[in-house]
């Protein structure tokens, strides 16, 4: 493998695999009530998670052998040292399993290719919308349907309207609610998958997402793909202190508070969030 990977060719190779995964996951969605649900550290796991994970890994390894590409997936992860390969695929085969089971339609597939601890290629697949969102570092982000692709560009919030905040149905807590109350008029929009939240901001359907870790924290496979898509759409996907997340490190957890949105919003929200957490003695880095 050359030291510089052809990312356009890599995405062209990945694209039909993603469409196949989309169709497979939609087939599972038609039989949700027949799926056995297991508990994995407090999160639900089904045969759909495992089947899509296996499909993606096997399909990708035909073109990107594990001797040269690392594979970090939610369903196969075990704590270990960072993968040694120069490029690593980070995969969440079903982000938003709870929403998948509740049939809200807000679940997604995340696939990111990471180099030097930052994503260089990413895809978020929204099966119920039959849309694939893609990004290559330095080349923009796109919304792809079977009819074609359109460029994504994050817009600042409309003036004079409440700030539209997407938040988790299952992980929004009292601390986040207390902080949101300091931002003035806010419209809260409950939503499932992190990928769905991120692209809703990219498409102008929401303005802001905030993650405050508690007993748990988002992991690499939750964030890596949405991160690059937001950044390449002209948005900000950073910790509250303005730093970019890094991936495929020793710890896959992201404990620092996360702020996602248009840069003009994320900067002042990040500053206010840090001050809020310090004032409430809730900011310790984790």
């Amino acid at each position: 493998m050359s030291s510089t990977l052809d990312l356009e060719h890599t995405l062209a190779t990945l694209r039909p695999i993603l469409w196949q995964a989309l169709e497979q996951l939609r087939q599972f969605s038609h039989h949700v009530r027949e799926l056995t649900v297991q508990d994995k550290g407090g999160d639900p796991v089904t045969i759909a998670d495992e089947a899509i994970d296996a499909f993606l890994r096997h399909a990708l390894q035909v073109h990107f052998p594990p001797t040269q590409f690392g594979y970090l997936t939610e369903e196969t992860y075990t704590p270990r040292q960072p993968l040694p390969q120069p490029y690593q695929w980070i995969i969440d085969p079903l982000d938003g399993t709870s929403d998948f089971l509740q049939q809200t339609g807000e679940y997604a597939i995340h696939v990111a290719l990471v180099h030097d601890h930052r994503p260089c290629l990413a895809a978020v697949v929204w099966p119920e919308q039959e849309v694939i969102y893609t990004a290559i570092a330095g080349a923009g982000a796109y919304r792809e349907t079977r009819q074609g692709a359109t460029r994504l560009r994050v817009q600042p919030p409309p003036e004079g309207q409440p700030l539209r905040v997407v938040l988790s149905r299952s992980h929004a807590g009292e601390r986040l609610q207390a902080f949101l109350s300091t931002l003035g008029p806010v419209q809260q929009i409950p939503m499932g998958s992190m990928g769905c939240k991120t692209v809703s901001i990219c498409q102008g359907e929401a303005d802001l997402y905030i993650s405050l870790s508690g007993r748990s924290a988002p992991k690499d496979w939750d964030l890596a793909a949405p991160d690059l898509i937001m950044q390449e759409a002209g948005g900000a996907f950073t910790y509250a202190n303005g730093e970019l997340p890094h991936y495929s490190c020793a710890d896959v957890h992201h404990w620092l508070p996360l702020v996602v949105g248009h840069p003009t919003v994320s900067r002042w929200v990040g500053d206010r969030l840090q001050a809020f957490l310090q004032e409430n003695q809730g900011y310790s880095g984790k």
Side-chain angles (χ1 to χ4, degrees):
M1 182 181 68
S2 63
S3 58
T4 302
L5 187 66
D6 184 339
L7 295 175
E8 292 284 357
H9 177 72
T10 300
L11 179 56
T13 303
L14 174 64
R15 191 174 282 111
I17 296 172
L18 295 174
W19 282 110
Q20 291 179 63
L22 180 153
E23 292 297 341
Q24 290 187 24
L25 193 48
R26 288 205 71 187
Q27 288 300 313
F28 278 113
S29 74
H30 298 155
H31 306 283
V32 162
R33 302 198 183 282
E34 301 170 18
L35 300 180
T36 300
V37 181
Q38 304 174 23
D39 183 273
K40 183 179 180 181
D43 293 320
V45 176
T46 71
I47 191 174
D49 300 71
E50 296 169 347
I52 301 303
D53 180 88
F55 168 75
L56 288 169
R57 282 187 292 108
H58 295 158
L60 285 170
Q61 286 172 7
V62 171
H63 307 279
F64 309 100
T67 53
Q68 299 174 346
F69 291 82
Y71 284 82
L72 173 61
T73 84
E74 180 176 17
E75 304 311 319
T76 62
Y77 170 74
T78 56
R80 56 177 167 241
Q81 293 300 311
L83 296 169
Q85 298 92 333
Y87 289 89
Q88 303 95 35
W89 289 103
I90 297 183
I91 299 170
D92 189 340
L94 177 45
D95 185 63
T97 302
S98 294
D99 279 79
F100 174 76
L101 292 170
Q102 294 167 19
Q103 297 183 297
T104 69
E106 297 162 2
Y107 61 91
I109 300 167
H110 296 176
V111 179
L113 185 63
V114 167
H115 180 61
D116 288 339
H117 304 291
R118 285 290 301 159
C120 58
L121 181 153
V124 168
V125 180
W126 195 334
E128 292 299 321
Q129 300 286 336
E130 293 194 66
V131 177
I132 297 176
Y133 300 86
T134 63
I136 291 175
Y142 292 85
R143 180 184 189 274
E144 302 187 12
T145 68
R146 299 186 192 276
Q147 288 70 47
T150 55
R151 186 84 179 255
L152 289 171
R153 294 190 185 276
V154 178
Q155 301 297 321
E159 293 185 10
Q161 296 185 20
L163 198 63
R164 299 167 298 173
V165 181
V166 281
L167 69 167
S168 172
R169 287 192 177 89
S170 55
H171 295 100
E174 294 181 1
R175 192 168 52 146
L176 176 58
Q177 292 294 337
F179 173 68
L180 291 178
S181 70
T182 71
L183 298 181
V186 168
Q187 176 189 353
Q188 297 188 22
I189 306 173
M191 190 169 290
S193 162
M194 180 67 201
C196 296
K197 295 184 184 82
T198 300
V199 300
S200 71
I201 297 173
C202 292
Q203 296 178 146
E205 298 160 356
D207 305 311
L208 178 69
Y209 171 72
I210 299 168
S211 170
L212 291 180
S213 61
R215 295 180 180 177
S216 63
K219 302 175 182 66
D220 279 5
W221 44 81
D222 299 311
L223 303 185
D227 179 338
L228 185 63
I229 288 171
M230 175 59 66
Q231 302 280 1
E232 286 299 317
F237 195 110
T238 68
Y239 298 129
N241 61 14
E243 294 180 359
L244 292 171
H246 286 78
Y247 304 98
S248 195
C249 302
D251 187 0
V252 299
H253 296 81
H254 294 262
W255 295 101
L256 293 175
L258 188 74
V259 180
V260 180
H262 189 273
T264 58
V265 175
S266 68
R267 279 193 294 269
W268 72 265
V269 169
D271 290 343
R272 291 190 64 166
L273 180 56
Q274 289 188 98
F276 172 85
L277 293 174
Q278 289 169 351
E279 290 168 4
N280 290 273
Q281 300 181 345
Y283 186 67
S284 61
K286 288 191 177 183

